Amino acid sequence: MNLHFVSGSSFSRPWATWAVLLLSLFFWTSCGENNTLPADLDQFNIKQLNELIVKNPDKADLYAARAIQYQGLKQIDSAIIDYERAVKLAPTQIDYYIEINNLYLLKGSWDDAKKSLDEALKVDPNHPKVLFHIGVLYLLVEDHIKSFEYLNRALDVDPNYFQAYFYKSINYEEMGDTTRCIAELHKAVEKNPDYIEAYIQLGLMHDAKKDTLAKTYFENALRIDSSNAFARYDLAYHYQQRGQFDQAIEQYHYLLNRVDSNFSTAMHNIGYIFLVYSDQLDSAVYYFDKATKSDFNYTEAYANKGYALELLKRYNEAFVEYQTALRISPKHEPATQGLKRISKHIKK
């Protein structure tokens, strides 16, 4: 097939994404200590917690439980207020400070997040979890020296703090030191052999070097959790990049049928394989269409669907897809060039 263009097929997951994942990986779940109160506070809704707070206004864990409920409703400011009330009632409860930090990060307020952790350090200057979170904060603003300082301090206190090795690896990767990055990831999985995120990153790092070990790391992640969407995607893309298209499609279908039916990039990449490598244009159109229905703003899927339709000589339909791609991304060059190519075929 004479390809004029094909938009990229990869699904980019930059390292910064993993720093953001901290917010979901380390969220506090329960630290109530008062035996006179119900142990299953997470089962109470806001109305019930309000009633309990009226009766027990000095119980920090009630405010913390309500904060979790507010957080689930995306009422971040209300959650912060309740955690701050909990801190006043239980100033030695480190997890409350860390949750305030997490919530301020969700709001994009680095300074307020740092203040909450600084307060926690006053309570316990050597608490590994606090030191770790400060290290991550400095990573987010790309102050790698400070980030290393606090992550190493956390490891001095607790050498088994496997997450700290993971975030040290991110620092090294951003500084361009791939060798040390991989070394830190190995330390992370040595400390925690079930650390899925580290296996995935090891796979991605080895994939970038075209090292066949990448497949082993993705498979290790899936051995731990066969439903991990990222690991499944990365294994599929590993096969795709190496021309093992049947295996790639098999993994993409597994992802869509058994893990995440809305994983639009997997749909797109199946279409991409049909378009570029097998010349099955109708199948390509079908999967690009599924991708755009799952993600209405998927520029590449619209553009590639347009190109498949162009090759099928369905020019008016291709025109619509190229136009849609340009409405989303006005400077998208492949769609612009596509419109130029088919302009003489469009029925006015």
Side-chain angles (χ1 to χ4, degrees):
M1 186 194 314
N2 181 21
L3 289 177
H4 292 281
F5 78 90
V6 177
S7 297
S9 67
S10 66
F11 171 56
S12 177
R13 290 195 288 106
W15 279 87
T17 301
W18 295 107
V20 174
L21 282 180
L22 171 72
L23 301 179
S24 61
L25 292 173
F26 297 97
F27 265 41
W28 169 87
T29 54
S30 176
C31 15
E33 297 177 349
N34 192 300
N35 293 328
T36 65
L37 293 170
D40 56 346
L41 287 177
D42 58 331
Q43 302 300 315
F44 285 65
N45 59 37
I46 290 177
K47 181 179 178 181
Q48 292 169 319
L49 288 167
N50 288 342
E51 293 171 356
L52 285 172
I53 287 170
V54 170
K55 297 176 182 177
N56 304 275
D58 58 343
K59 304 302 181 184
D61 50 0
L62 289 176
Y63 293 101
R66 190 170 66 179
I68 292 173
Q69 296 298 320
Y70 280 132
Q71 187 176 322
L73 296 171
K74 302 189 186 317
Q75 297 180 27
I76 303 304
D77 289 332
S78 295
I80 290 172
I81 290 170
D82 267 355
Y83 272 124
E84 289 176 340
R85 288 169 175 160
V87 162
K88 289 180 180 178
L89 293 168
T92 62
Q93 181 55 266
I94 293 296
D95 285 321
Y96 295 160
Y97 298 95
I98 291 173
E99 284 308 307
I100 294 171
N101 156 73
N102 289 339
L103 291 167
Y104 273 124
L105 283 182
L106 283 176
K107 287 171 60 71
S109 180
W110 189 94
D111 290 334
D112 288 323
K114 178 65 164 50
K115 286 177 184 177
S116 70
L117 295 180
D118 287 341
E119 290 299 314
L121 274 188
K122 294 176 183 177
V123 176
D124 186 348
N126 294 307
H127 197 291
K129 195 172 182 181
V130 177
L131 295 168
F132 165 74
H133 279 270
I134 295 176
V136 173
L137 275 183
Y138 279 114
L139 171 60
L140 290 173
V141 294
E142 299 182 357
D143 188 337
H144 301 297
I145 302 303
K146 279 287 188 181
S147 182
F148 277 127
E149 175 188 338
Y150 281 95
L151 291 172
N152 285 330
R153 283 177 61 184
L155 288 167
D156 287 340
V157 179
D158 181 1
N160 294 315
Y161 208 129
F162 58 91
Q163 298 97 327
Y165 295 110
F166 182 84
Y167 282 89
K168 283 182 69 177
S169 77
I170 300 177
N171 275 297
Y172 280 126
E173 197 277 339
E174 290 190 352
M175 295 168 68
D177 193 335
T178 303
T179 301
R180 288 188 179 182
C181 167
I182 291 174
E184 294 298 328
L185 288 169
H186 278 294
K187 291 176 186 177
V189 296
E190 285 170 9
K191 297 298 182 181
N192 181 3
D194 291 334
Y195 196 5
I196 291 176
E197 288 78 13
Y199 284 119
I200 292 174
Q201 289 300 82
L202 279 165
L204 292 172
M205 297 299 293
H206 283 82
D207 235 354
K209 300 193 302 176
K210 302 187 184 306
D211 188 329
T212 55
L213 270 176
K215 176 174 173 283
T216 300
Y217 290 119
F218 296 139
E219 290 175 338
N220 281 343
L222 291 170
R223 172 182 52 79
I224 299 164
D225 180 8
S226 63
S227 65
N228 186 287
F230 288 139
R232 186 68 62 181
Y233 175 89
D234 290 331
L235 178 60
Y237 191 63
H238 169 84
Y239 283 130
Q240 179 179 335
Q241 289 293 86
R242 279 148 190 79
Q244 297 172 272
F245 302 121
D246 289 341
Q247 293 95 322
I249 289 175
E250 179 183 358
Q251 294 299 324
Y252 286 134
H253 278 307
Y254 186 105
L255 171 56
L256 292 167
N257 295 333
R258 302 175 65 175
V259 181
D260 182 355
S261 61
N262 293 311
F263 206 114
S264 58
T265 317
M267 302 170 192
H268 172 275
N269 286 8
I270 295 173
Y272 185 90
I273 291 171
F274 284 133
L275 172 62
V276 177
Y277 302 109
S278 68
D279 203 18
Q280 297 182 50
L281 298 178
D282 287 323
S283 294
V285 170
Y286 172 78
Y287 281 100
F288 291 140
D289 190 55
K290 282 174 65 72
T292 58
K293 287 178 179 176
S294 178
D295 179 356
F296 297 129
N297 295 310
Y298 202 155
T299 302
E300 289 77 12
Y302 287 111
N304 282 341
K305 182 182 175 186
Y307 187 52
L309 290 165
E310 178 185 346
L311 293 173
L312 287 166
K313 302 187 183 332
R314 292 158 58 181
Y315 299 116
N316 280 41
E317 294 173 71
F319 177 84
V320 172
E321 301 302 324
Y322 287 142
Q323 287 279 43
T324 304
L326 288 170
R327 278 200 299 272
I328 299 167
S329 303
K331 296 183 179 180
H332 194 261
E333 186 62 21
T336 300
Q337 292 303 316
L339 283 178
K340 289 180 181 179
R341 286 195 307 275
I342 67 173
S343 59
K344 60 185 177 182
H345 300 290
I346 298 300
K347 296 177 181 179
K348 304 296 184 181

